[in-house]
Amino acid sequence: MPQGVKTVLVINLLIMLVSGWALFNMYTETGAEILIAFATWSLFGTLAFAQVVLLSRIRKAWGMLRALIYVVALLQALTTMVLTKDFFSLWGVLIFFGSLFVVIYLIGFRGYLNSDGFKQWLIK
């Protein structure tokens, strides 16, 4: 397994843990906005699917995963725009930049899935 795939698996797991914590907090402490809850569930599900595809090396799911990551990146970007309303608090700034990091990561992850090194590893 290439080092890049191992790195992606670890980063996906960390983002999934943070998303799971955010989902837990949304439903136990606050009345979550529907868009943010939907975007967080979508992110969690997409990264879980990515973990399965990468660990199982499912070639047929590769194209669908790329499209799914693109859609979730757009949804997370929309969520980032919604989160700017809380930008003037410390917690709001942390959430905003965390969401921005996830958007940039998803775009990079999709680019990594298109790389020649990843395609060669997937086809082996």
Side-chain angles (χ1 to χ4, degrees):
M1 183 178 292
Q3 184 63 34
V5 173
K6 291 177 185 175
T7 304
V8 164
L9 289 171
V10 169
I11 293 173
N12 283 355
L13 184 63
L14 291 174
I15 292 174
M16 287 174 62
L17 289 173
V18 171
S19 296
W21 174 76
L23 287 168
F24 177 75
N25 280 342
M26 274 188 222
Y27 292 114
T28 57
E29 296 178 5
T30 63
E33 293 181 15
I34 293 173
L35 173 67
I36 295 173
F38 176 70
T40 307
W41 275 112
S42 299
L43 175 68
F44 188 82
T46 299
L47 292 180
F49 179 65
Q51 298 287 76
V52 170
V53 169
L54 291 176
L55 290 173
S56 303
R57 291 172 68 169
I58 304 171
R59 287 183 217 114
K60 292 185 179 184
W62 172 72
M64 184 174 69
L65 179 62
R66 288 177 39 232
L68 191 60
I69 288 172
Y70 182 69
V71 169
V72 171
L74 289 174
L75 187 60
Q76 285 296 317
L78 179 63
T79 303
T80 303
M81 290 173 52
V82 168
L83 290 172
T84 57
K85 67 180 172 72
D86 298 326
F87 195 69
F88 294 111
S89 68
L90 179 61
W91 187 245
V93 169
L94 292 174
I95 291 174
F96 174 80
F97 283 115
S99 181
L100 190 62
F101 168 77
V102 169
V103 170
I104 294 169
Y105 169 73
L106 288 173
I107 293 168
F109 180 35
R110 187 172 184 272
Y112 177 69
L113 291 177
N114 289 333
S115 71
D116 292 332
F118 179 78
K119 289 178 192 175
Q120 289 174 357
W121 173 76
L122 188 66
I123 291 173
K124 281 186 188 176

